Amino acid sequence: MKNVIEALSHWELLEIEKPARYLGGEVNQATAKESPALRTCLVFPDLYELGMSNLALKIFYETLNQRPDIVAERAFSPWPDFESLLRRRGLPLYGLESGMPLKDFDVIFVTLPYEMTFTNVLNILDLAGLPLSWKDRIDGPLVIAGGPSASNPLPVAKFMDAILIGDGEEAIIEICDSLIAAKKAGANRSETRRALTKVEGLWVPEFPGPVKRRVFKLFSQSQPPLKPVVPNVQAIHNRAPLEIFRGCMKGCRFCNAGFFYRPKRERSVEDLVKYAGDLLQNTGEESLGLLSLSTSDYNNLEDLIHSLDKAKLYPEQSVSIPSMRMNDNTIALLDATPHIRKGGLTFAPEAGTQRLRNVINKNVTEEDIISVMKATGGSDYRTVKLYFMMGLPFETDEDIYGIVDLVKRLEAIGKTTKPRKQISISLSGFVPKPFTPFQWSEQASMAELKRKRQIVCRGLENGSSRVSWREEFLCLLESVLSRGDERIGDLIESAFRNGCKFDGWHEFFSKEKWEKAFTETGVKAEDYLRERPVDAQLPWDFIDFQVPRTYLENEYRLAAKAAGEQP
Amino acid sequence: MNSETTQSRPEVKIRVEYSKTSQSRYIAHLDTIDVICKALRRLQLPYAVTQGCHVRPKISFGPPLPLGHASYCEYFVLTLTGPVDSQALSESLNRELPSGMRVISIANPYVETRNGNFGEKLHYRFSFTRAEIAETARQWLLNPETSFAAESKGKTRTYAIRSAVLGASLAENDSLILEADFIQGQADVPSVSKIVTALAGFLDAQKDCLKLIERISLSELKQKQEISST
Ligand code: SF4
């Protein structure tokens, strides 16, 4: 079959929600190429609207399609209505640009943005008609993954021909060149994979490590994607994304992203203003999104924002800054620039007391939050959102009561402002992540997380704040999936066979199906949730993360010291 | 472009008629508006903007096209603050629209005439894969007894299609093509979208024989039209 899209009838398309998700043809879509040397498909294992907002996908799409000899198409997880249609008709999943079945591509690149997409990846392979395990795939495309949730690649090693650890911009081109050379030489699959081991950052599960995390050193001078595909169904973030810097050196001890994207590399104001112009010109998006892990840490933020304001292309143009740490300076800057989209005020103190914030090295003080609340008293900011974690290392009940105290103090200030501020609290269980100073820590149990959550809920039940929380089982599952070894592949596969998919979507997540998968595979969650001795060998130690283990050990000790304990 | 100067210039309207075919017919109405507004921004046209806290281009669209219907008569009316060349605009807009959307014509300047709200008259073309199904559909549309139940504002109600169908006939030289005229947008008159859905329900297992639904022309009614006159 050449084009799966053509096999879908009008009435079938009308049965599904938002059929435009599955039809391609958007503005800036890559044009077809005559006999390319390599056909690649970029797979995002979640819905179109989310994938079309994903920056990595835009970067790889543009990087690969700029090459005259490489084609890069896109595929996303089909929503269950469309999946049923494909399965009912016996049609395979396909690339949106050509409708060509995934199994006819030379390579599939899978982005793994969060652990809860792992079962979706298996569903995509299954819908493509490909065996799930790399060992069982004797023909068809190679499947190569990458992304922050593959920083410990072991849980997905069973399914992948190769996994990239770190930045992908240069590596993806090297991978493609290696595959083109292998194709020309008529190499078999194993020879092709062996050749891939030469790409820095790429781990091929067939062969032992070590692997060194790939760092894109030329990020600052590199051009970001400037002509991304404009979605035909409104994406979750309706904005043109511009990555102003990569990496973060704040060193919060719980933060995997902070270590995964090190070191901090900034683009210059001059380049960014030019890129912003091109990006808006090419997309027509109303809003420009300044992206980074922590935008307030950009060296020249004021200069950047003023320069962008001067270079406005159209009257309704606005700027959105999704990860801005609020303090008096940033508030003054936001107030002085009316075209910045003002959502709510967002704070991530993560812990309820200064003691615990020192332990986790989170640089947000109570004074900061209170002073911003007061400073924005009469302004447009009506909502205040605060993120807290529970079950952090060295946490005591005092720290949990600290969350209640802090929120009550903010409620009192919020009441005095006009208009009144609506405070919402988001609680989540802490998940220890590989390659962070807390990689050795114990995962708090469900009972413990629930008990702590109840302390917060009871403490705030007479107040005006809204409290929401992440289901405790999800935290434990994420913990197993992120600190797992190769056996976790069986667990993921069993969960998928039990019908798990869209695990990040509340309406689809099934605790029972995952519990069944634990039982069926004999995987004991406790083995992965327990504390590990600092000198113990960790499954992911074969990866040189470019953050020395001794540094992480020392940070762990410093955390213990800040807590007045021995690790 | 600066919004203050934009607002002080004399405004002129243009009406852009465009087609929506192939895969673009599955882009929903609100997404279509979004896609067009982005195209206008990419072209940096001197469009006027609305006042208020959320500034938007001054633009209005024709009646929503049901999802999956192709059309050769979609339009939007855009207010500009400076002159544009229709030919150049048509060419540049065509480069900026998704596959399947093309500019047909531009009325420039466009003088809007307010007709009151009498709804619109629509000419449709239905393409079938089997002539006998085309004929069945024609009879269904023309039968004064045809009625169907459909949801409206959360309630199920029964519609008689005789109030909506002006005529239906097979194309002279092609028995697979059924052409039909409808009115819609008046009280108690079912929309073409509802009629087509009901027709598909009537054809049931044969509905796949109706492979393409195209809105060929649309004109606003200048007064309330009674079907009995046809
Ligand atoms: S939590 Fe934010 S500020 Fe802290 S290290 Fe991670 S990205 Fe940086």
Side-chain angles (χ1 to χ4, degrees):
Chain A
M1 186 186 306
K2 283 255 160 355
N3 186 338
V4 181
I5 298 173
E6 283 171 4
L8 299 164
S9 82
H10 168 75
W11 298 102
E12 286 170 335
L13 285 172
L14 282 197
E15 275 168 28
I16 56 172
E17 195 188 322
K18 302 190 184 175
R21 283 170 181 159
Y22 309 105
L23 300 176
E26 304 96 323
V27 167
N28 295 341
Q29 177 178 286
T31 45
K33 288 172 190 157
E34 263 314 297
S35 335
L38 198 72
R39 289 185 189 278
T40 74
C41 191
L42 302 170
V43 164
F44 187 87
D46 212 321
L47 202 57
Y48 175 92
E49 289 92 316
L50 272 91
M52 288 301 287
S53 292
N54 180 266
L55 187 60
L57 195 83
K58 293 177 204 283
I59 293 173
F60 298 140
Y61 191 78
E62 205 156 307
T63 307
L64 293 178
N65 280 313
Q66 270 164 5
R67 277 273 300 252
D69 54 342
I70 299 176
V71 158
E73 301 200 13
R74 295 159 297 146
F76 303 92
S77 284
W79 198 241
D81 58 353
F82 191 60
E83 181 190 337
S84 317
L85 169 60
L86 290 176
R87 291 196 187 276
R88 194 174 70 229
R89 290 279 319 277
L91 294 170
L93 192 65
Y94 52 86
L96 286 185
E97 280 69 7
S98 66
M100 187 169 88
L102 285 191
K103 67 174 178 347
D104 294 339
F105 284 82
D106 295 307
V107 58
I108 293 174
F109 290 114
V110 185
T111 298
L112 295 174
Y114 24 85
E115 289 80 1
M116 293 301 146
T117 57
F118 287 172
T119 54
N120 273 10
V121 175
L122 301 200
N123 200 27
I124 286 173
L125 295 179
D126 190 56
L127 278 166
L130 295 170
L132 302 184
S133 165
W134 67 263
K135 285 182 187 155
D136 298 332
R137 289 193 293 266
I138 46 171
D139 53 17
L142 290 188
V143 183
I144 299 178
S149 64
S151 61
N152 165 22
L154 292 166
V156 290
K158 182 177 177 183
F159 315 112
M160 301 298 161
D161 291 284
I163 300 163
L164 181 74
I165 320 294
D167 295 328
E169 283 91 340
E170 296 166 316
I172 203 162
I173 288 291
E174 290 166 26
I175 291 169
C176 288
D177 282 336
S178 175
L179 294 178
I180 291 170
K183 225 175 136 180
K184 274 197 192 134
N188 66 27
R189 285 176 90 81
S190 185
E191 288 162 350
T192 304
R193 282 192 292 257
R194 182 179 287 282
L196 286 175
T197 58
K198 298 202 178 75
V199 177
E200 188 179 283
L202 197 63
W203 179 50
V204 177
E206 189 178 357
F207 304 103
V211 186
K212 189 168 159 193
R213 177 172 66 92
R214 188 69 186 254
V215 176
F216 180 33
K217 298 196 182 80
L218 299 176
F219 174 86
S220 303
Q221 298 94 60
S222 71
Q223 180 181 296
L226 296 179
K227 218 175 174 192
V229 178
V230 182
N232 278 346
V233 175
Q234 272 203 25
I236 197 104
H237 298 304
N238 211 3
R239 63 188 179 212
L242 182 59
E243 191 180 13
I244 61 172
F245 68 91
R246 188 171 295 174
C248 171
M249 300 304 279
K250 287 280 159 193
C252 304
R253 294 183 177 122
F254 56 85
C255 178
N256 176 264
F259 293 96
F260 184 80
Y261 291 107
R262 277 184 177 205
K264 187 178 173 202
R265 291 147 283 171
E266 291 194 347
R267 290 188 164 122
S268 71
V269 171
E270 201 187 3
D271 285 347
L272 287 170
V273 172
K274 188 185 157 303
Y275 295 146
D278 290 349
L279 194 52
L280 292 167
Q281 168 80 67
N282 292 334
T283 59
E285 291 285 1
E286 188 181 327
S287 179
L288 179 75
L290 300 184
L291 304 193
S292 74
L293 286 173
S294 171
T295 300
S296 26
D297 294 323
Y298 182 70
N299 259 328
N300 271 319
L301 189 61
E302 207 174 327
D303 190 8
L304 175 63
I305 286 178
H306 291 321
S307 305
L308 287 172
D309 199 29
K310 272 190 228 142
K312 253 170 112 171
L313 282 187
Y314 26 83
E316 67 274 39
Q317 185 179 317
S318 64
V319 170
S320 71
I321 308 180
S323 49
M324 182 86 142
R325 203 177 53 248
M326 295 294 183
N327 54 35
D328 290 351
N329 292 342
T330 48
I331 287 290
L333 178 60
L334 295 187
D335 279 350
T337 30
H339 73 288
I340 293 187
R341 266 197 200 171
K342 299 190 179 59
L345 292 170
T346 304
F347 301 97
E350 309 292 5
T353 60
Q354 195 54 49
R355 183 199 73 93
L356 193 56
R357 285 194 289 274
N358 291 341
V359 169
I360 63 175
N361 205 24
K362 183 80 203 190
N363 209 358
V364 173
T365 67
E366 197 157 321
E367 291 72 51
D368 272 348
I369 303 173
I370 288 175
S371 117
V372 170
M373 278 285 279
K374 286 184 177 158
T376 57
S379 73
D380 291 346
Y381 299 98
R382 289 179 188 206
T383 58
V384 182
K385 184 144 195 182
L386 294 128
Y387 291 89
F388 290 102
M389 286 193 280
M390 301 168 305
L392 283 160
F394 312 109
E395 181 180 270
T396 66
D397 280 5
E398 286 302 302
D399 301 305
I400 302 298
Y401 286 109
I403 297 178
V404 176
D405 291 345
L406 172 59
V407 175
K408 279 188 171 166
R409 231 165 295 154
L410 297 176
E411 280 179 354
I413 299 169
K415 264 185 212 152
T416 62
T417 62
K418 267 193 187 142
R420 283 187 174 202
K421 292 206 193 295
Q422 174 62 53
I423 301 175
S424 47
I425 314 297
S426 169
L427 300 172
S428 176
F430 164 69
V431 175
K433 295 277 175 157
F435 307 109
T436 67
F438 291 157
Q439 61 178 349
W440 296 279
S441 304
E442 183 185 16
Q443 167 68 51
S445 69
M446 295 228 298
E448 183 68 354
L449 290 175
K450 239 178 227 166
R451 186 183 68 80
K452 289 181 168 168
R453 188 237 299 163
Q454 277 161 359
I455 294 178
V456 178
C457 289
R458 283 204 198 104
L460 296 174
E461 68 191 351
N462 295 324
S464 54
S465 305
R466 286 195 201 122
V467 184
S468 62
W469 59 88
R470 186 160 186 239
E471 210 198 300
E472 287 79 13
F473 183 78
L474 275 173
C475 303
L476 265 66
L477 182 60
E478 188 185 317
S479 197
V480 172
L481 295 179
S482 53
R483 282 201 306 181
D485 52 20
E486 276 162 307
R487 290 185 59 220
I488 297 305
D490 295 337
L491 175 77
I492 300 168
E493 184 171 342
S494 168
F496 160 69
R497 301 224 183 266
N498 288 331
C500 289
K501 61 186 157 196
F502 285 106
D503 291 315
W505 292 72
H506 186 70
E507 58 269 51
F508 290 109
F509 182 73
S510 167
K511 186 176 166 214
E512 294 69 33
K513 286 178 187 160
W514 273 100
E515 281 173 339
K516 192 167 165 226
F518 275 104
T519 312
E520 280 172 359
T521 52
V523 171
K524 298 228 170 339
E526 313 82 81
D527 292 347
Y528 298 90
L529 304 176
R530 66 187 160 79
E531 185 180 356
R532 319 201 180 178
V534 175
D535 52 6
Q537 182 79 15
L538 296 170
W540 50 89
D541 276 347
F542 70 102
I543 292 164
D544 169 5
F545 212 62
Q546 307 231 40
V547 179
R549 193 182 151 120
T550 45
Y551 172 82
L552 298 178
E553 286 171 11
N554 194 43
E555 281 292 300
Y556 194 32
R557 279 192 200 97
L558 288 174
K561 202 169 155 203
E565 284 185 41
Q566 285 298 313
Chain B
M1 189 169 56
N2 176 308
S3 58
E4 279 160 40
T5 50
T6 303
Q7 296 304 315
S8 55
R9 291 198 205 124
E11 294 184 346
V12 55
K13 285 186 174 163
I14 60 167
R15 184 183 190 273
V16 178
E17 192 165 64
Y18 63 95
S19 60
K20 213 174 155 208
T21 61
S22 63
Q23 74 253 59
S24 76
R25 67 191 200 269
Y26 296 102
I27 305 175
H29 183 62
L30 290 178
D31 288 327
T32 306
I33 293 176
D34 189 49
V35 159
I36 288 174
C37 287
K38 282 179 185 159
L40 299 174
R41 285 193 207 106
R42 285 195 296 277
L43 292 175
Q44 291 182 49
L45 285 184
Y47 52 77
V49 290
T50 58
Q51 302 293 323
C53 42
H54 195 164
V55 179
R56 298 172 178 283
K58 268 192 193 168
I59 188 168
S60 62
F61 286 81
L65 179 69
L67 199 68
H69 292 202
S71 173
Y72 298 89
C73 52
E74 296 309 287
Y75 68 88
F76 61 86
V77 175
L78 179 68
T79 307
L80 296 168
T81 58
V84 289
D85 178 73
S86 301
Q87 181 63 29
L89 174 59
S90 167
E91 282 164 19
S92 55
L93 201 48
N94 277 336
R95 281 195 300 271
E96 298 299 340
L97 291 173
S99 299
M101 286 171 71
R102 304 270 314 161
V103 175
I104 296 171
S105 64
I106 297 179
N108 179 10
Y110 172 65
V111 184
E112 216 161 10
T113 47
R114 298 249 168 248
N115 287 327
N117 208 359
F118 299 110
E120 56 267 350
K121 183 177 165 190
L122 300 145
H123 181 63
Y124 261 75
R125 182 165 63 202
F126 300 94
S127 301
F128 291 83
T129 52
R130 282 169 52 198
E132 66 273 27
I133 306 299
E135 174 56 19
T136 307
R138 187 188 71 83
Q139 288 177 14
W140 184 86
L141 285 173
L142 290 179
N143 182 352
E145 303 297 313
T146 302
S147 67
F148 62 89
E151 289 269 315
S152 173
K153 294 177 188 146
K155 285 189 194 143
T156 305
R157 51 167 298 186
T158 304
Y159 291 96
I161 72 164
R162 66 173 179 273
S163 60
V165 182
L166 293 169
S169 58
L170 297 176
E172 260 175 34
N173 47 8
D174 191 345
S175 57
L176 295 174
I177 304 274
L178 172 65
E179 310 232 8
D181 291 295
F182 303 91
I183 57 165
Q184 69 172 18
Q186 295 178 359
D188 299 324
V189 177
S191 65
V192 180
S193 171
K194 284 197 171 78
I195 294 172
V196 173
T197 307
L199 173 61
F202 172 73
L203 295 176
D204 196 22
Q206 314 286 354
K207 74 172 179 225
D208 276 332
C209 296
L210 172 49
K211 61 172 188 169
L212 184 61
I213 300 152
E214 295 166 295
R215 190 191 263 188
I216 304 296
S217 68
L218 177 152
S219 52
E220 278 179 38
L221 291 170
K222 298 197 174 15
Q223 60 185 48
K224 190 161 167 37
Q225 184 154 353
E226 298 295 342
I227 293 291
S228 53
S229 63
T230 61

